[in-house]
Amino acid sequence: PVARAPARARGAQAAVDDIKRAGVADAFSVRADIAAPADCAGLVAEAVRRFGAADILVNNAACFALIPLLEADPADAARFLNTNIGGPMFCSQALARWANAAGRENVIFGNDCGFQSTAGNTEIPITVAWAKLHALGEGARLASKRLWG
C-alpha cells in the first residue's frame, strides 16, 4: 500500500494511477503541507486508518524554485528549508509518535531531500524522480526483509 501527500491537488490522481499501474494494489493521496506538523500527523493518521498500520515512511517531497538564484529571497529560502528539512523531520516524528503509542518497534524512515535544477533548466525528468523513488523503495524492502524476515 502507498499513501502520497501532494501539496497541490493537480497531478495527485495521475500519480496515484501511475503507482497502481506499477503494481501497487492500494494507493491514495492525502492533500498535506509537510512543512506543517499537524498535516504530517494527519497523513500518518489517514494511512493508519486506511491500512491498519504504517511501518515504512519514505520522505520524498521537495520544494525548489523555478527562479534564478539571484532572485531568490528570504521567503523562498524559508519555504525550501521548511519543506526540504522540516517536512521529513515532521513526517518522521508523526510516524514515530504513532509507532511509540502503538507499541511498534520496527519502523523504517527513508529520507530524500529532493532534487535540484541547474539555472535555466526548469524540469526534472519524471524518470529521474521515479528512479530515486524506486531506489528508496528497494532500500525499504531490503530493510524490512532484514527486520521481519
Side-chain angles (χ1 to χ4, degrees), residues 26-49:
D26 193 6
F28 70 99
S29 68
V30 174
R31 186 165 180 160
D33 176 0
I34 65 161
D39 281 12
C40 295
L43 173 62
V44 170
E46 180 60 20
V48 169
R49 184 195 69 75

Side-chain angles (χ1 to χ4, degrees), residues 7 10-11 27 31 61 65-66 86-87 95 101 107 119 125 128 137:
R10 193 184 86 204
R31 186 165 180 160
L66 300 179
L95 182 58
V107 177
V128 171

Side-chain angles (χ1 to χ4, degrees), residues 7-64:
R8 294 174 308 234
R10 193 184 86 204
Q13 189 57 49
V16 167
D17 293 343
D18 286 346
I19 291 167
K20 287 181 177 179
R21 274 193 296 278
V24 175
D26 193 6
F28 70 99
S29 68
V30 174
R31 186 165 180 160
D33 176 0
I34 65 161
D39 281 12
C40 295
L43 173 62
V44 170
E46 180 60 20
V48 169
R49 184 195 69 75
R50 184 158 177 150
F51 301 132
D55 296 312
I56 300 171
L57 170 67
V58 177
N59 285 304
N60 193 43
C63 177
F64 60 94

Side-chain angles (χ1 to χ4, degrees), residues 60-73:
N60 193 43
C63 177
F64 60 94
L66 300 179
I67 58 175
L69 174 63
L70 295 176
E71 293 178 22
D73 61 26

